[in-house]
């Protein structure tokens, strides 16, 4: 498999009070530039008779980084719990603001044996932290400064089958179908 594109970063506030999470306040988080998903694992080895007899690992969490063209004002409230004015023109950050757990999705294009497919990926429970902001004065050439947010994904509580899900991926024939699936996950009716 070869991934050749990235699009449609979607984020929605999660409610994890039931066995299957629900989402609200969903939005498209700018245009995707990049995303890094780096799962972390707990590992253990058992040695016996002077050799390794057993090895095991299990998902612990995943480091997530998302680079976008812009961070919409909706992100300030949904991601970080900041106060946003009713006219959506002023954001107030306070020391006690609490970041929310959110669901996050992206669509990537995959090429297999010359055929394009679209993979929609939904990460169930991520907490992002405030991002570094960099600004530069204009020079002779235009340089774009774009936001990048980072956070940590954790697994959901065990479901009826005892599985602790942290991500779902589904393959589609078209980008529109993949985006529609993410919007359904995020409980977005129209965008």
């Amino acid at each position: 498999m070869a991934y050749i594109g990235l699009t449609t970063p979607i984020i929605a506030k999660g409610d994890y009070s039931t066995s299957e999470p629900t989402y609200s306040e969903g939005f498209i988080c700018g245009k995707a530039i990049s995303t890094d998903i780096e799962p972390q694992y707990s590992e253990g080895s058992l040695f016996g008779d002077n050799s390794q007899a057993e090895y095991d690992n299990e998902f612990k969490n995943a480091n997530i980084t998302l680079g976008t063209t812009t961070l919409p004002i909706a992100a300030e409230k949904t991601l970080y719990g900041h106060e946003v004015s009713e006219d959506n023109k002023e954001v107030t950050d306070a020391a006690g603001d609490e970041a929310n757990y959110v669901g996050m999705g992206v669509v990537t294009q995959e090429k297999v044996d010359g055929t394009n497919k679209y993979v929609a990926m939904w990460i169930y429970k991520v907490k992002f932290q405030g991002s570094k902001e960099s600004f530069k004065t204009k020079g002779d050439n235009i340089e774009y400064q774009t936001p990048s947010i980072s956070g940590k994904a954790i697994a959901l509580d065990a479901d009826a089958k005892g599985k602790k899900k942290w991500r779902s991926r589904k393959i589609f024939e078209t980008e529109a179908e993949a985006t529609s699936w993410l919007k359904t996950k995020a409980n977005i009716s129209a965008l």
Side-chain angles (χ1 to χ4, degrees):
M1 83 181 94
Y3 294 110
I4 55 172
L6 179 69
T7 185
T8 321
I10 291 179
I11 292 177
K13 185 177 179 181
D15 178 352
Y16 303 93
S17 60
T18 60
S19 60
E20 192 63 35
T22 58
Y23 299 93
S24 62
E25 300 176 34
F27 61 95
I28 294 178
C29 193
K31 293 181 179 182
I33 294 175
S34 64
T35 191
D36 292 314
I37 302 165
E38 185 181 351
Q40 305 294 308
Y41 296 92
S42 297
E43 301 179 76
S45 295
L46 173 65
F47 289 86
D49 287 342
N50 296 323
S51 65
Q52 187 169 342
E54 295 286 339
Y55 169 78
D56 203 2
N57 68 8
E58 64 180 46
F59 177 80
K60 182 170 47 172
N61 57 51
N63 296 322
I64 309 289
T65 304
L66 175 65
T68 67
T69 57
T70 186
L71 197 57
I73 202 155
E76 298 293 340
K77 180 180 177 192
T78 304
L79 289 177
Y80 308 125
H82 298 321
E83 182 182 330
V84 176
S85 65
E86 284 191 35
D87 64 1
N88 285 329
K89 292 187 178 184
E90 182 178 358
V91 178
T92 304
D93 302 9
D97 291 348
E98 182 68 32
N100 295 302
Y101 281 110
V102 297
M104 181 198 117
V106 293
V107 175
T108 186
Q109 187 177 349
E110 180 180 34
K111 192 164 215 160
V112 179
D113 298 326
T115 303
N116 288 320
K117 302 286 183 184
Y118 296 86
V119 180
M121 182 182 316
W122 184 254
I123 300 172
Y124 291 98
K125 192 173 184 179
V126 184
K127 186 175 273 194
F128 287 98
Q129 55 202 18
S131 60
K132 174 183 172 184
E133 297 177 52
S134 298
F135 308 96
K136 287 185 180 181
T137 189
K138 288 183 184 179
D140 287 337
N141 296 310
I142 296 172
E143 286 185 60
Y144 289 99
Q145 305 297 312
T146 57
S148 179
I149 58 176
S150 60
K152 200 166 284 289
I154 60 175
L156 298 174
D157 292 338
D159 63 14
K161 297 178 183 177
K163 294 189 176 213
K164 295 181 177 183
K165 301 183 291 190
W166 72 275
R167 171 175 66 178
S168 287
R169 292 170 279 181
K170 190 168 181 179
I171 299 169
F172 296 91
E173 298 296 319
T174 68
E175 184 178 335
E177 291 171 318
T179 301
S180 177
W181 183 78
L182 286 180
K183 287 179 178 180
T184 299
K185 288 278 190 193
N187 198 22
I188 297 173
S189 56
L191 272 181

